[in-house]
Amino acid sequence: MLTSITDGFLCCLLGKSPNAVGPLDSVDGSPSLEVKPGRILRVRHSVPGNRPEFPEEPPEEPGRGAVRCRRRITLYRNGQLLIENLGDTGTPERLNPDPAEPETPDPAGIPAGIPAGTPAGKRRRRRPKKVVTVDCQKRITSCKGTHGDVVLFFIHGVGGSLDIWKEQLEFFSQLGYEVVAPDLAGHGLSSAPPVAAAYTFYALAEDMRAVFQRYAKKRNILIGHSYGVSFCTFLAHEYPQLVHKVIMINGGGPTALEPSLCSIFNLPPCMLHCLSPCLAWSFLKAGFARQGAKEKQLLREGNAFNVSSFVLRATMSGQYWPEGDELYHAELAVPVLLVHGMHDKFVPVEEDQRMAEV
């Protein structure tokens, strides 16, 4: 800890960054993908050579597994969102109506939620800011390891790396799945550009787009954790025909990303470097349900959570994504599985509950 503080003071005096932010060479044999000139990501890509033999599935009946999504999404000027499922007859089924607020006018012209005896002068028809209609049909099929057109993408969050997926990558590879897990820029063994603009949401999202385009097949399953959930949502929105299913792990609510003005990550990188031992201790306490030898070893090894102060600050400050609001999430038309840690101290369970509603 004393060494960390000393290095921090020296970097402040000399005006140098405490951690190297240049490109790093891959030492574990994983392939590298150059998404842009000089911007290289480490990507772990595993294609099972001998897939396990499963009993052949009977041919599916015509129309089986076909799911049609007909949905009308209304966004009002006060930010309220109304999601309606439209059946074959066109009758809406409201998912999140608020009885206290008038949503849409009924056939008689009186907004819902207003008593019939209310004087006409006090009735006010709210005008929606935006109305989106989703009408699509998808065929949901099983994804056993015998299928060669299924790829599982694992995307980690801030401060992590693909090494956090070690157990999952091995498990699904043994089942016969093709798995892909990239390191975000500045994380793990990916290159770390020395400019903050390289770590904005849009820059990282374009990296994930390049990875997806490189390895995607006919049916792709996206698994994201924390910040990685936002990139899964982005890809599912951009490639609805290729994304088969999405798994969101502790991703929080469906709100637009905006960096916090009152955050410890707004401190200069040198000060963050001085505080890195305290941040690591706090992360151990809040990030793990138990603080045993295995959890402490993860931090000491410096593999899964080795990120420089500069990259950490730039990534947290670059979390600006105004398009990723409730409306954006409500437009998703792929099956989504939400996973939330029962002892999570970072993301309240209420946020994931709101995501489930949307």
Side-chain angles (χ1 to χ4, degrees):
M1 181 174 181
L2 180 61
T3 303
S4 176
I5 295 176
T6 303
D7 293 342
F9 281 129
L10 287 176
C11 83
C12 291
L13 292 175
L14 300 177
K16 297 180 179 179
S17 176
N19 291 13
V21 292
L24 299 175
D25 295 329
S26 178
V27 296
D28 64 346
S30 300
S32 298
L33 178 64
E34 187 173 16
V35 293
K36 290 182 180 179
R39 190 178 178 95
I40 303 174
L41 304 182
R42 176 180 65 149
V43 180
R44 184 160 296 171
H45 179 216
S46 176
V47 181
N50 298 320
R51 298 180 181 270
E53 293 294 335
F54 291 98
E56 294 186 3
E57 297 181 6
E60 296 187 3
E61 301 175 2
R64 185 179 179 182
V67 178
R68 187 177 184 184
C69 175
R70 299 187 65 213
R71 180 181 299 166
R72 182 168 62 224
I73 310 164
T74 306
L75 176 65
Y76 290 94
R77 298 187 182 277
N78 64 349
Q80 190 176 7
L81 195 70
L82 175 66
I83 306 174
E84 301 168 298
N85 280 334
L86 304 178
D88 294 335
T89 59
T91 303
E93 174 189 352
R94 298 183 181 182
L95 297 183
N96 58 339
D98 186 354
E101 292 287 340
E103 296 293 354
T104 53
D106 61 8
I110 301 177
I114 298 181
T118 304
K122 294 184 179 180
R123 299 171 186 166
R124 186 180 64 171
R125 179 173 177 176
R126 295 166 53 193
R127 295 182 179 179
K129 181 180 179 180
K130 187 176 182 180
V131 179
V132 177
T133 301
V134 178
D135 191 351
C136 66
Q137 187 169 353
K138 292 182 67 69
R139 187 169 178 267
I140 310 303
T141 58
S142 62
C143 297
K144 289 186 177 180
T146 51
H147 298 291
D149 60 353
V150 178
V151 183
L152 277 61
F153 289 84
F154 294 83
I155 306 179
H156 66 83
V158 179
S161 73
L162 63 83
D163 294 306
I164 70 171
W165 303 108
K166 179 177 181 295
E167 304 292 340
Q168 287 74 29
L169 297 178
E170 294 178 356
F171 177 82
F172 287 105
S173 293
Q174 293 176 0
L175 289 182
Y177 287 101
E178 182 176 350
V179 296
V180 175
D183 275 340
L184 296 179
H187 294 67
L189 297 180
S190 290
S191 63
V195 291
Y199 304 97
T200 63
F201 171 83
Y202 296 103
L204 298 177
E206 289 303 317
D207 291 347
M208 295 302 101
R209 185 202 296 270
V211 173
F212 183 80
Q213 291 178 342
R214 171 63 178 82
Y215 297 102
K217 291 187 177 179
K218 183 178 179 180
R219 291 182 294 174
N220 305 279
I221 302 177
L222 308 180
I223 303 100
H225 173 249
S226 189
Y227 195 25
V229 169
S230 298
F231 302 119
C232 291
T233 305
F234 170 79
L235 293 175
H237 202 277
E238 293 289 306
Y239 302 97
Q241 300 303 324
L242 292 177
V243 174
H244 196 60
K245 299 172 183 176
V246 177
I247 300 177
M248 302 181 177
I249 307 174
N250 292 65
T255 56
L257 296 181
E258 186 174 358
S260 175
L261 298 178
C262 301
S263 171
I264 189 175
F265 297 103
N266 290 332
L267 297 174
C270 295
M271 296 185 65
L272 281 179
H273 186 65
C274 296
L275 298 174
S276 58
C278 298
L279 292 176
W281 179 84
S282 301
F283 178 76
L284 177 65
K285 287 293 183 182
F288 295 91
R290 58 183 295 270
Q291 291 82 42
K294 182 178 180 181
E295 287 74 22
K296 294 179 181 179
Q297 185 67 20
L298 281 174
L299 296 181
R300 282 199 299 266
E301 289 177 351
N303 293 330
F305 304 99
N306 184 20
V307 181
S308 71
S309 303
F310 170 80
V311 171
L312 186 62
R313 181 179 187 272
T315 304
M316 295 298 294
S317 301
Q319 291 185 347
Y320 179 71
W321 185 33
E323 295 87 0
D325 55 7
E326 289 188 337
L327 180 62
Y328 189 92
H329 286 79
E331 290 177 336
L332 291 181
V334 298
V336 177
L337 172 66
L338 293 174
V339 181
H340 189 90
M342 295 183 63
H343 304 284
D344 187 357
K345 298 180 181 179
F346 286 114
V347 181
V349 67
E350 291 77 14
E351 292 191 17
D352 269 345
Q353 288 173 343
R354 178 57 181 164
M355 178 73 84
E357 294 174 1
V358 171

